[in-house]
Every structure is written in structure tokens, then in C-alpha cells.
Amino acid sequence: MAPPSPAFNRSLSLLDLTLLGFGAVFGSGWLFAASHVAAIVGPASIISWIAGGIAVLFLGLIYCELAAALPEAGGMIRYPAYAHGPLLGALLGFITVIAYSSLISIEIIAARQYAGSWIPGLTANSAGDPTLLGWAVQVAVLSGMLRINISGVKTFALFNNIITIFKFVVPMLVIGVLLLFLHRGNFTTYGFMPFGWQSIEGAVSIGGIIFAYLGLTPIIAVASEVRNPQRTIPIALTLSIFLAAFVYVLLQVAFVGSVPAGMLAAHGWAGIDHLLPLPFHDIAMTLGLGWLGFAVVIDAVVSPTGTGNIYMGSTARIIYAWSRSGTFLPWFGHLDPRHGVPRRAAFLTFGLGVFWMLPFPSWEALIGVVSSALIMSYAFAPVAAAALRHAAPGLARPFRVTCIRVMGPVSFMIASLIVFWSGWHTLSWLLSVQLLFGIIFLAIRALRGTGNTGEDFRSSAWVLAYFAGMLVLSACGTFEGYAIMAHPFDDMMVVIFAGLIFVWGEHVAHRDMQLPDVTADTPQAMTPDTVIANEPVVSL
């Protein structure tokens, strides 16, 4: 009798998953974004953090429904593939692996930049680029992450729990101390919103806010390793968002309120990110709180490193899911029989992490591109959820979003706006690459006679139209575009366009859809009346 195939170990508890989600959300964003966002928006940056939290919560609730119904490793690329066929699976695999693998490097770079404020020889210049020694330290940290991730999910969870608890304590200490130095005049003297409403939109997209919030999908990536996933995933995901939003908003209030008045006298909030590039460390030192600055540096090294470690595990599972979907090299769809982890995919993740560190980028140099790629990987979940409601109404949904008819399109519109706010300079090549990838993928499948080419095109043509339309809107808009459309009419056009694309995508689910048995990792045919599990439904 043949030995059983390797399987993921279902050992993650609600606490493990909540700390994983919060740990993924709470990485380098809090260390850099406060001054960067304040320079873009001023005190109204508080509104930007609230708006970003609401946007991510909407997307998170959609993921709750999908992940509770289909708790699979790398689910964020599998759900759209189930709903709309192989093109979307391949496309999201491509986008997500690029975004996540570069995120690992961004977090390590952030840790090295902060460490460089105390350890000479790690940072080469004011832009934050590393020296050769700094780059070697980054690679050494990445190697340590690889070791943790190939040792099994229990080791991974224990390490993450310890790190996440530590990195929650320090920000709360920073909030408590800086609020003692609060200057109420900082919120009004130079205007609460000195750069207008449009600055709030830009801050959400390219100011680091959406980047700081987008840590939801690591929870989805490990869904196959969660105990009682139908209940645990929705609770952990929503708790992570609320906890992160609470801390981020308080941090921004503390930063805005504690900036010494003399720093704002010359130019107001413009350029505050250059005066305080490492915001909470620099402001602590300015206020004579050396001990607090040291605590921030310690957390600034630990916090991004912990988040980077989470994304290394998530990227490996996404590569595994991409391989299992049949649109990536099958060699990576293998689990290590001893530890139940995608070991081969973890080594590929390590190689990608090293690659992203080769150009010696700083945190701010990568953040706009990665934020755009990340939100793009989130954007298609609402369409997939709506399409599955039509095509597989009998699929058991232990967590059911009762207002999906409203929340689905609204979530897609919000995600599209955030993509649009990234600006023409980023989207001109990011969307073009994805559009070209989609066309080449369909052409290769047609030439090889692989699958049902006509059905593949019918169910995914809306994606290509979406990329092309967003390119045109970005070029015509006011966010680094040619301003053919004035603001806010460009925003309104994006909302209308996204709504039309959503309706299109909702009604063209792939006719050859196959959904998996949640008790196994093997796909099986799914008819509209099939019920996978007999779980109680939690509605929202």
C-alpha cells in the first residue's frame, strides 16, 4: 500500500492566527508612514488612516466568506481561479508572488535602516541605501527567516507569537509617552487639511497607509493549517483589522500632536518627513527621550523582521497554490513529508527575496509599486465571491456576508480607486505588464490547445478590459496623468467603470468550474447544489 501523500498540519489556533494577522499588518508601516503621511495631508492624516482601515475591512469581510467556505493554502489566488478560470489564477499568482516576495525585502530593509541610526556602517546615504555590510546583514536575516519557515508551522507560530506581542507593547508605550507632550495647536494652526481632500486619497494609496494595512492575506495563505477554519479565520481576520486600525490611528494622533512647534514654523507640515525621516525615533530624541528612542529602534528591528518572516511563509504557500492550480511549475507544488511545509517554494521565496535586495532600494523607493501590486491582488476577491454566489449557490458558507450585493461592488470600487490613486507613473507600466501577461497567457493556451480556450476567454475577458480601462482612466486623470478629466470627476469615472466591470465579472463565472473538497487538497467537480460542509452560518 502506498504511503499517504504529505498534508498540511492543522495546528494553528485562534490566538496564533490573530497574532499572525496583526503581526503581518503591523510591520514597517508604523515606523515610517506617520511623518510621510503627515507631509502629504497634515493633521487630516488621521482621516486617511480611518479611511484605509474601512477600505481594508470591506475587503476583509469578503475574504472571510471565501476563506471560511474554502479554507485552502494560498486561497487568495485560488478563489478567483475557481470562479473565472486559469487566466486569473495565473495572473494573481504572478502579481501576488512579486508583491509578497518584494515585501519580505522591504521589511528587512526597513529594519536595517532603523538599525543604521545606532550602528554605523549599515546605511550608505540619506536615502537609506545599504552599504555592502548592510546588504550582507539583510541577506543573513533572510537566511534566518528561511530556517524558521522550513522547520514547520508550529515553530513558525511560536516565533511569530513572541515577536508580535513584543511589537505591540512598544507602540503602545510610544503612544502613551508622546500624548504627554501633546500640543493641541498642531492640529489647527497650519490648517487641519492644508493640502485639500485629494491629498487624503493620495496618502491612502502612495503614502504608506494601504501598504501598512494590507496584511490580511497571510491569514488566508495558511488556511489549510488552521484548526476549525470555518470559525477561526473570520474571527481572526476581523480582530486583526480592528486592532491594527486602533493602534495606527492613535500613533498618528500622537505624532501630529507631539511635533515641536518650532519644526512647523517655516513650512508647516510640508517636508516634515525630511525633518523626521524616522518619525518616532527622531521625535523621541528631539524631545530628549533617549530611552524611548532606543526602545523604538529595538522594536524597529524586531517588528519588520517579524512581518517579513510572516510574508516569507505566505509567499511560499502562494507559490505552492499557484503550482497546484496548474499554471506554474508543478515541481513547486510539493510538501515536505516531515514538516508538512512547501519547502521547495520556501527556497524559491528566499531567492526572490535576495533578488529584490539587489538594486539596493530604500523603503520609500519600493512602497508605491508594492502597494499598487498588493491592492491589485486583493481587488478581484469581491468579484470572485459574487460569481461563486451565482455559480455555486449550494456551497456551504459558514460565514456569509448578507449584504454582498452592496458590499461586493463597493469593495471593488474602493480597491479600484486605491489603484487609481497610485498615479500614472506607476500604473503605466504595472497595468501594461499585467495586460500583456494576460494576452500572452491566453495566446499560449490557444496555440497549445490547452483547456477550453473559448470558455477561458469568455470568463476572463472582463479582466483584460479592466486593465485596459484603468490604463486609459489613469492617463486621463489628475494623479500624475494628463488631467484631461478634472478632479473629482476622474474618481467618479473610476467608480462607474469599476461598477460596470463588477457586474460583467459577476455573471461570467467559468462553466468548467471545479471546487475542492475542504477535507482534502484534491479538486472535485462541483455542481450548483453541492454542499461541502454542514456548518452553522455566521451572517454579517
Side-chain angles (χ1 to χ4, degrees):
M1 182 178 178
S5 300
F8 285 108
N9 298 320
R10 290 195 179 274
S11 56
L12 297 178
S13 66
L14 175 60
L15 177 63
D16 293 332
L17 205 61
T18 302
L19 291 178
L20 187 150
F22 179 73
V25 172
F26 210 76
S28 63
W30 85 275
L31 299 168
F32 293 89
S35 61
H36 192 45
V37 174
I40 296 173
V41 189
S45 51
I46 299 165
I47 298 176
S48 294
W49 283 106
I50 295 172
I54 293 171
V56 173
L57 177 62
F58 271 48
L59 291 168
L61 292 173
I62 300 295
Y63 269 117
C64 284
E65 175 169 313
L66 291 168
L70 300 165
E72 294 189 273
M76 69 287 296
I77 70 169
R78 287 188 169 188
Y79 308 142
Y82 290 144
H84 293 103
L87 170 61
L88 213 50
L91 188 63
L92 284 177
F94 175 70
I95 297 170
T96 311
V97 167
I98 288 176
Y100 274 33
S101 60
S102 58
L103 255 173
I104 301 166
S105 301
I106 287 176
E107 297 296 342
I108 295 175
I109 289 167
R112 189 264 311 152
Q113 283 184 259
Y114 251 95
S117 66
W118 287 77
I119 304 173
L122 296 182
T123 301
N125 50 44
S126 59
D129 299 326
T131 61
L132 183 60
L133 174 62
W135 187 81
V137 169
Q138 292 174 179
V139 175
V141 172
L142 188 65
S143 301
M145 292 178 180
L146 175 65
R147 185 69 187 88
I148 291 170
N149 274 276
I150 62 177
S151 298
V153 73
K154 289 184 178 179
T155 303
F156 170 84
L158 177 62
F159 176 83
N160 178 69
N161 291 352
I162 295 170
I163 294 296
T164 301
I165 290 172
F166 175 79
K167 70 184 191 180
F168 175 75
V169 170
V170 174
M172 295 307 295
L173 177 65
V174 168
I175 291 168
V177 173
L178 292 187
L179 286 178
L180 298 176
F181 294 84
L182 192 73
H183 305 291
R184 293 184 180 179
N186 284 4
F187 295 91
T188 56
T189 302
Y190 301 95
F192 180 71
M193 194 184 300
F195 310 112
W197 277 101
Q198 192 170 1
S199 64
I200 292 180
E201 300 170 353
V204 170
S205 186
I206 61 174
I209 288 179
I210 205 65
F211 168 83
Y213 272 118
L214 290 183
L216 304 181
T217 48
I219 290 179
I220 312 302
V222 299
S224 289
E225 297 154 275
V226 178
R227 295 199 298 263
N228 191 11
Q230 286 82 5
R231 173 183 176 274
T232 302
I233 291 174
I235 295 175
L237 199 148
T238 50
L239 279 176
S240 299
I241 297 172
F242 279 115
L243 188 59
F246 173 74
V247 178
Y248 279 137
V249 170
L250 286 182
L251 280 168
Q252 194 66 33
V253 170
F255 175 79
V256 170
S258 61
V259 173
M263 287 189 167
L264 302 174
H267 304 289
W269 290 100
I272 193 66
D273 53 335
H274 298 299
L275 296 175
L276 300 169
L278 306 178
F280 294 106
H281 166 268
D282 292 347
I283 205 167
M285 301 304 291
T286 301
L287 295 173
L289 304 171
W291 64 271
L292 184 62
F294 180 73
V296 170
V297 169
I298 296 299
D299 188 78
V301 174
V302 172
S303 183
T305 302
T307 300
N309 185 61
I310 292 172
Y311 276 101
M312 172 165 272
S314 299
T315 306
R317 284 154 180 82
I318 290 165
I319 292 172
Y320 167 85
W322 189 10
S323 174
R324 298 281 292 184
S325 73
T327 55
F328 189 57
L329 301 173
W331 192 76
F332 291 104
H334 171 79
L335 290 180
D336 175 55
R338 180 182 175 189
H339 297 294
V341 295
R343 187 183 181 93
R344 295 174 182 175
F347 277 98
L348 176 58
T349 302
F350 173 81
L352 290 170
V354 172
F355 172 79
W356 285 113
M357 290 190 290
L358 288 178
F360 302 145
S362 66
W363 189 86
E364 288 186 7
L366 285 174
I367 202 68
V369 174
V370 174
S371 295
S372 302
L374 271 174
I375 196 64
M376 192 72 69
S377 70
Y378 278 67
F380 297 117
V383 188
L388 287 171
R389 284 283 187 97
H390 278 282
L395 174 66
R397 293 171 171 84
F399 182 97
R400 189 179 183 91
V401 180
T402 54
C403 50
I404 190 73
R405 296 294 304 171
V406 174
M407 190 172 292
V410 168
S411 299
F412 187 64
M413 291 172 186
I414 290 173
S416 299
L417 281 171
I418 294 172
V419 170
F420 177 69
W421 296 337
S422 300
W424 171 245
H425 293 162
T426 297
L427 297 182
S428 58
W429 67 267
L430 184 63
L431 290 174
S432 296
V433 167
Q434 294 176 71
L435 181 60
L436 183 63
F437 179 94
I439 293 171
I440 291 174
F441 179 86
L442 288 175
I444 290 174
R445 283 179 68 86
L447 290 173
R448 290 182 175 178
T450 306
N452 187 340
T453 304
E455 181 59 23
D456 291 348
F457 181 78
R458 185 197 71 85
S459 63
S460 58
W462 64 274
V463 182
L464 303 180
Y466 177 72
F467 291 151
M470 289 295 289
L471 268 172
V472 173
L473 289 170
S474 181
C476 296
T478 56
F479 289 85
E480 301 176 347
Y482 297 101
I484 297 172
M485 295 182 294
H487 190 78
F489 295 106
D490 51 355
D491 280 357
M492 293 169 58
M493 289 302 298
V494 171
V495 168
I496 294 169
F497 174 70
L500 294 173
I501 291 291
F502 182 91
V503 173
W504 181 1
E506 180 183 16
H507 291 90
V508 290
H510 204 282
R511 291 176 182 142
D512 298 333
M513 182 188 303
Q514 288 190 333
L515 295 182
D517 181 349
V518 295
T519 62
D521 199 30
T522 304
Q524 66 177 17
M526 171 60 66
T527 65
D529 297 322
T530 303
V531 177
I532 289 181
N534 220 358
E535 296 281 349
V537 173
V538 180
S539 297
L540 187 67

